[in-house]
């Protein structure tokens, strides 16, 4: 949908989530589609709950104030992913207020978007700010964030081919609602134990926070760990708390994810791969990123970026099943308003 809007191409999408036990569009999908429709003053057909078929006719991209509310714990960061490319090619500064889950399963935590995605996108020339008004967790949601996005004249290619040396690992272990602060210590301590064993001599600092009631809605817990390198890379591991999983296991899960991605020598982690594909496709010049094993999300993003935009991607194997280089000759999309 984002590429359709940016390139003024009509699009017909069928068999949406057809392999699921409950196929079709859900609440957060509809909110994302409606945001892009509104950002282009376009025509959207088939946008009903559980619909498996939509048609979209985009018109002109517009800047302004936009609002989306999943009314569930649906991820605000996924809505932002959908919206950001369109807002970058608008005429003026745009404001995007989103309500839903800020720290949700199967989606980047808001802390990831701010501390990992944002600094890497800045290399493309992207500029946005994020104000977390209130955090929201599964199952109630209730979170709220405000994004301010500046338009670009165009995006520049990036080169992220060497991880370099680790300089530090920072983190954030949190609880909210009625959950006790001791859970943050358990998550943080179990993660730090594994990280110190894997990366002796690297400074590690994990903050432990009980979110105040005015800054968080409902009960939630989790941890996010970010490794920074001498070449400016940021690689992340994260996990959310569940009733069925011990706090020690939550911390260990986040640490193991981080350790595994770093063991591949990746310049981006498994969750950043697919998020960068659309920006590589739109950029001017040749972008290169070194990754671990490619995720299905990444392969899908490459497929549709090539199909719709015409950008040329090539995946080169460096070490079989361990290390790859994704290269893309972008289409150099220019913002016609700037």
């Amino acid at each position: 949908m984002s590429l359709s809007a940016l390139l003024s191409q009509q699009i017909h999408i069928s068999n949406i989530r057809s392999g699921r036990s409950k196929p079709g569009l859900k609440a957060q999908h509809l909110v994302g589609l409606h945001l892009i429709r509104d950002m282009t003053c376009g025509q959207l057909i088939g946008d009903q709950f559980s619909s498996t078929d939509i048609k979209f006719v985009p018109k002109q991209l517009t800047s302004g104030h936009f609002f989306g509310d999943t009314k569930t714990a649906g991820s605000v960061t996924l809505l932002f992913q959908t919206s950001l490319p369109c807002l970058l090619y608008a005429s003026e500064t745009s404001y995007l207020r989103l309500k839903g889950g800020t720290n949700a399963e199967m989606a980047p935590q808001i802390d990831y978007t701010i501390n990992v995605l944002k600094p890497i996108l800045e290399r493309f020339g992207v500029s946005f700010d994020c104000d977390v008004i209130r955090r929201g967790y599964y199952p109630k949601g209730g979170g709220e964030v405000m994004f301010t996005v500046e338009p670009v004249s165009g995006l520049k290619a990036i080169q992220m081919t060497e991880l370099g040396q680790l300089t530090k690992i920072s983190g954030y272990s949190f609880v909210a609602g009625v959950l006790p602060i001791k859970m943050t210590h358990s998550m943080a301590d179990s993660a730090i134990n594994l990280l110190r064993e894997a990366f002796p001599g690297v400074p590690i600092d994990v903050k432990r926070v009980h979110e105040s009631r005015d800054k968080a809605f409902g009960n939630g817990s989790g941890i996010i760990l970010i490794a920074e390198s001498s070449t400016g890379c940021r690689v992340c591991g994260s996990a959310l708390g569940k009733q069925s999983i011990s706090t020690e296991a939550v911390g260990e899960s986040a640490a193991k994810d981080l350790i595994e991605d770093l063991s591949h020598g990746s310049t981006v982690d498994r969750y950043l791969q697919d998020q960068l594909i659309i920006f590589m496709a739109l950029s001017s010049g040749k972008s290169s990123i070194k990754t671990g094993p490619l995720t299905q999300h990444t392969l899908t993003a490459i497929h549709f970026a090539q199909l719709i935009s015409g950008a040329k991607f090539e995946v080169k194997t460096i070490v079989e099943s361990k290390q790859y280089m994704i290269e893309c000759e972008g289409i150099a999309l220019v913002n016609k308003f700037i």
Side-chain angles (χ1 to χ4, degrees):
M1 283 283 287
S2 300
L3 287 166
S4 168
L6 287 164
L7 301 171
S8 299
Q9 294 184 18
Q10 297 184 27
I11 193 168
H12 177 197
I13 308 173
S14 56
N15 299 321
I16 296 170
R17 304 176 77 248
S18 59
R20 303 296 182 96
S21 58
K22 295 181 179 179
L25 298 169
K26 301 305 178 191
Q28 75 179 42
H29 307 127
L30 284 169
V31 175
L33 298 181
H34 290 159
L35 282 169
I36 295 183
R37 176 200 63 191
D38 295 345
M39 290 171 184
T40 63
C41 302
Q43 181 184 11
L44 182 60
I45 301 169
D47 52 327
Q48 293 92 30
F49 193 81
S50 297
S51 171
T52 59
D53 191 282
I54 61 168
K55 294 179 181 179
F56 177 55
V57 181
K59 294 182 181 178
Q60 182 165 288
L61 287 167
T62 60
S63 57
H65 294 255
F66 302 96
F67 174 67
D69 183 359
T70 66
K71 302 187 186 302
T72 67
S75 172
V76 297
T77 59
L78 294 182
L79 295 178
F80 178 64
Q81 279 184 29
T82 302
S83 304
L84 177 60
C86 299
L87 298 180
L88 291 174
Y89 284 86
S91 58
E92 298 178 3
T93 303
S94 292
Y95 304 90
L96 179 63
R97 186 163 67 97
L98 300 173
K99 299 181 74 173
T102 59
N103 300 75
E105 285 283 2
M106 307 298 290
Q109 297 190 45
I110 192 65
D111 311 275
Y112 185 101
T113 298
I114 295 170
N115 296 299
V116 179
L117 178 65
K118 183 176 187 288
I120 301 306
L121 288 187
E122 286 172 350
R123 296 187 177 201
F124 287 95
V126 172
S127 177
F128 71 84
D129 289 317
C130 177
D131 179 20
V132 181
I133 300 167
R134 184 171 55 255
R135 292 174 181 268
Y137 314 101
Y138 180 84
K140 294 182 178 180
E144 183 175 355
V145 297
M146 173 66 85
F147 289 97
T148 304
V149 181
E150 301 298 332
V152 297
S153 57
L155 297 173
K156 55 189 178 184
I158 65 166
Q159 297 293 319
M160 297 182 66
T161 59
E162 295 297 333
L163 177 62
Q165 300 297 313
L166 289 188
T167 56
K168 68 176 181 179
I169 298 174
S170 57
Y172 170 76
S173 180
F174 69 89
V175 294
V178 300
L179 302 180
I181 188 70
K182 67 180 182 181
M183 292 175 63
T184 68
H185 300 305
S186 178
M187 290 185 289
D189 292 344
S190 62
I192 289 171
N193 288 338
L194 289 181
L195 294 172
R196 281 183 174 156
E197 182 179 341
F199 310 113
V202 175
I204 303 173
D205 178 31
V206 180
K207 291 180 169 55
R208 299 111 192 273
V209 178
H210 192 298
E211 298 288 355
S212 62
R213 291 187 180 275
D214 64 323
K215 291 293 185 181
F217 183 77
N219 302 322
S221 65
I223 185 170
I224 183 166
L225 305 166
I226 302 170
E228 298 181 43
S229 78
S230 57
T231 58
C233 297
R234 295 193 175 203
V235 178
C236 178
S238 64
L240 292 173
K242 296 180 180 178
Q243 286 187 337
S244 60
I245 303 177
S246 70
T247 50
E248 292 84 359
V250 174
E252 290 173 356
S253 175
K256 287 176 181 177
D257 275 1
L258 179 59
I259 292 167
E260 182 180 350
D261 277 328
L262 289 171
S263 74
H264 297 139
S266 310
T267 62
V268 299
D269 60 57
R270 70 193 75 178
Y271 304 113
L272 190 60
Q273 291 176 15
D274 64 291
Q275 296 183 65
L276 299 184
I277 297 302
I278 189 171
F279 301 99
M280 295 171 72
L282 299 174
S283 296
S284 173
K286 184 177 182 179
S287 293
S288 302
I289 58 173
K290 184 189 287 185
T291 76
L294 269 60
T295 66
Q296 194 64 43
H297 279 119
T298 300
L299 294 171
T300 303
I302 290 173
H303 171 78
F304 284 106
Q306 290 188 135
L307 181 68
I308 299 173
S309 75
K312 303 300 182 184
F313 282 85
E314 184 177 5
V315 177
K316 296 181 177 179
T317 302
I318 301 173
V319 180
E320 186 66 42
S321 300
K322 183 176 181 181
Q323 197 176 82
Y324 299 84
M325 190 75 72
I326 303 176
E327 298 180 344
C328 174
E329 191 68 44
I331 63 171
L333 184 67
V334 173
N335 188 335
K336 64 182 181 180
F337 300 110
I338 297 178

